Amino acid sequence: MFELLRTKFIPVAIDQAYERRQKDAEGEFYRSIASQGPRKNFQGTTQGFYVATPAGELLLYNNNRDPEKVLRLTKKASVTFAASKSAKRATKPIASGKVDARYNPVPPEGGLVVRVRAKVLGGYVATSDRWRKAMQTALSRDNLWITQKEHAALVAGELPKKLMRRLTRFHLVDNTRGEPPMWQDKEVRKIAFERDGKRIRGSVLLRTEDGKRGYVASMLGFVEVEKDVVTRFDLVVNGEFWGEGRYTRNAPAGRFPFAVSLTLADGSDVADAIPPQASRGWVEGYFR
Amino acid sequence: AFYVSVLSVLAAVSIPAQQPTLSEAKFDELRALLTPDPQTMWRRIPWRVELLEAQREAAAQNKPLFIWAMDGHPLGCT
């Protein structure tokens, strides 16, 4: 699949919840492709795999998660394209034009992007189901955005409360099996962070009203600064999680070990450009 | 579901208010564990994240687009 995508296609990964709503050239192009498939109602999800010509003619739509099936269909689409008229004529490139800012949030100028990864460290019942096994061993990925003001505070040796609360509410979540529920403000039962020079220590207790989901954890981190710029922001949060969300079913029963690791992004990973999951649709709320 | 729910509530009731502090050795161990393997197949696929940028590339190279469209960003899970 890797060789096929690398050599025969231009692979692109997108959040369709944004693309189908965007009022700009990119949104129009996406809707023109998706509307040729079975998911034409743009009020609902259009999730799936699409293969299209550069002009936007749909060659394949599928929403199957079986890798063998996806590979077989993609190979077939590659052959279909090679034999088509589209493959023999030039296609006009489409300019991006003015982008819909609501669905194209960019990291704060002068701020920082921090990679966030999370992992369930145990507690699962062993399974032979390939899909479930992939979920059980998943390492999730998100980004934490830090504002210019918070960056300046970190340089000055401080630890902005707003930043640590954002980190806690939106990034100490179990997103290893799907889109997670974020912590509401009132679900942050205890939050204590302190900075001593380069070192940060802290602890949190998070729990829903009904007690069905929670996380109790301690944290150790290091911040380093050179010439008024944060050059290191490494944190590890480790503790016990329990419960699950609507889209993160099949968590281990009871309490399970769960860790989150944060480190500065350097732009070398394409995923560094992805907005934080919790900012979807309302960036202002993420920074509030 | 009932069984899991009961277990979760019991877990919540018996939860300690605080976890033991994290040592530097544990910090290093967990950081290594939560660093993705750059050689996994998923990470070797040269994903683009902007559809029209990909369209312009596809037009220039005369290749079809393979679009992975998800609820939430597909690159949010490795």
Side-chain angles (χ1 to χ4, degrees):
Chain A
M1 189 71 181
F2 161 67
E3 271 309 306
L4 181 68
L5 289 182
R6 198 179 65 81
T7 58
K8 302 287 187 188
F9 291 88
I10 301 296
V12 55
I14 55 171
D15 181 346
Q16 59 77 39
Y18 272 20
E19 298 281 337
R20 64 183 156 88
R21 293 181 169 103
Q22 282 179 218
K23 291 174 179 155
D24 55 19
E26 179 151 319
E28 280 173 28
F29 184 61
Y30 177 71
R31 288 188 293 274
S32 75
I33 293 171
S35 63
Q36 298 168 61
R39 294 190 155 175
K40 305 176 203 302
N41 174 12
F42 297 122
Q43 301 307 308
T45 185
T46 55
Q47 179 169 284
F49 296 104
Y50 296 82
V51 173
T53 68
E57 181 193 344
L58 185 68
L59 301 174
L60 165 71
Y61 167 80
N62 194 265
N63 192 27
N64 196 287
R65 65 188 186 193
D66 177 351
E68 271 79 34
K69 185 170 183 183
V70 174
L71 175 61
R72 183 165 45 79
L73 290 170
T74 306
K75 272 182 180 169
K76 195 176 163 188
S78 174
V79 172
T80 304
F81 175 74
S84 71
K85 287 177 182 172
S86 300
K88 294 167 184 65
R89 62 170 179 247
T91 303
K92 217 173 137 184
I94 303 172
S96 296
K98 190 174 184 293
V99 300
D100 187 339
R102 183 177 177 190
Y103 298 111
N104 285 277
V106 291
E109 201 175 334
L112 298 165
V113 176
V114 176
R115 295 172 182 166
V116 186
R117 296 193 174 96
K119 190 172 178 64
V120 172
L121 303 173
Y124 281 117
V125 175
T127 178
S128 56
D129 180 282
R130 185 168 58 172
W131 182 251
R132 194 164 279 197
K133 197 177 278 186
M135 290 287 193
Q136 291 185 358
T137 56
L139 181 61
S140 72
R141 173 67 205 269
D142 198 0
N143 289 316
L144 161 71
W145 280 359
I146 295 177
T147 67
Q148 183 174 32
K149 194 175 169 186
E150 290 161 349
H151 185 184
L154 288 170
V155 167
E158 298 163 19
L159 194 58
K161 278 185 180 172
K162 222 175 188 180
L163 166 62
M164 300 317 281
R165 199 162 187 91
R166 181 183 321 130
L167 187 160
T168 299
R169 284 189 59 202
F170 301 140
H171 296 283
L172 301 188
V173 292
D174 179 5
N175 53 358
T176 59
R177 295 176 306 281
E179 293 183 281
M182 303 296 165
W183 299 107
Q184 293 177 31
D185 219 23
K186 63 184 179 186
E187 293 171 343
V188 181
R189 310 292 170 172
K190 183 193 154 200
I191 176 169
F193 291 106
E194 58 178 15
R195 180 173 172 184
D196 179 13
K198 292 179 179 178
R199 183 183 294 251
I200 298 174
R201 281 202 177 279
S203 60
V204 295
L205 173 59
L206 310 167
R207 191 182 57 231
T208 55
E209 201 70 52
D210 61 9
K212 288 183 178 175
R213 181 167 48 84
Y215 187 38
V216 59
S218 59
M219 190 264 271
L220 176 62
F222 299 93
V223 179
E224 290 177 10
V225 175
E226 276 176 38
K227 295 178 184 170
D228 292 341
V229 174
V230 169
T231 54
R232 184 185 185 195
F233 189 84
D234 286 334
L235 308 179
V236 169
V237 185
N238 185 41
E240 291 182 321
F241 203 102
W242 67 96
E244 58 190 21
R246 186 177 173 186
Y247 303 113
T248 58
R249 298 282 188 223
N250 299 313
R255 277 186 272 166
F256 53 90
F258 179 74
V260 181
S261 173
L262 300 95
T263 192
L264 268 188
D266 61 6
S268 63
D269 184 340
V270 67
D272 290 345
I274 308 302
Q277 168 80 18
S279 76
R280 289 175 83 221
W282 193 38
V283 177
E284 294 78 9
Y286 177 75
F287 286 118
R288 219 165 47 158
Chain B
F2 172 75
Y3 172 71
V4 169
S5 178
V6 167
L7 268 180
S8 293
V9 170
L10 285 174
V13 168
S14 61
I15 205 83
Q18 195 157 341
Q19 287 284 297
T21 55
L22 212 55
S23 68
E24 284 199 41
K26 190 70 179 171
F27 173 92
D28 291 338
E29 178 198 326
L30 288 171
R31 272 206 75 200
L33 194 63
L34 272 71
T35 298
D37 176 359
Q39 289 308 307
T40 56
M41 191 191 84
W42 179 94
R43 297 183 63 78
R44 288 159 58 213
I45 294 172
W47 294 107
R48 282 70 164 175
V49 292
E50 289 189 19
L51 183 58
L52 286 187
E53 210 170 88
Q55 188 276 339
R56 292 190 286 270
E57 225 176 312
Q61 296 182 35
N62 204 16
K63 287 180 178 176
L65 291 157
F66 181 92
I67 304 167
W68 184 13
M70 293 277 284
D71 279 320
H73 205 284
L75 301 188
C77 196
T78 54

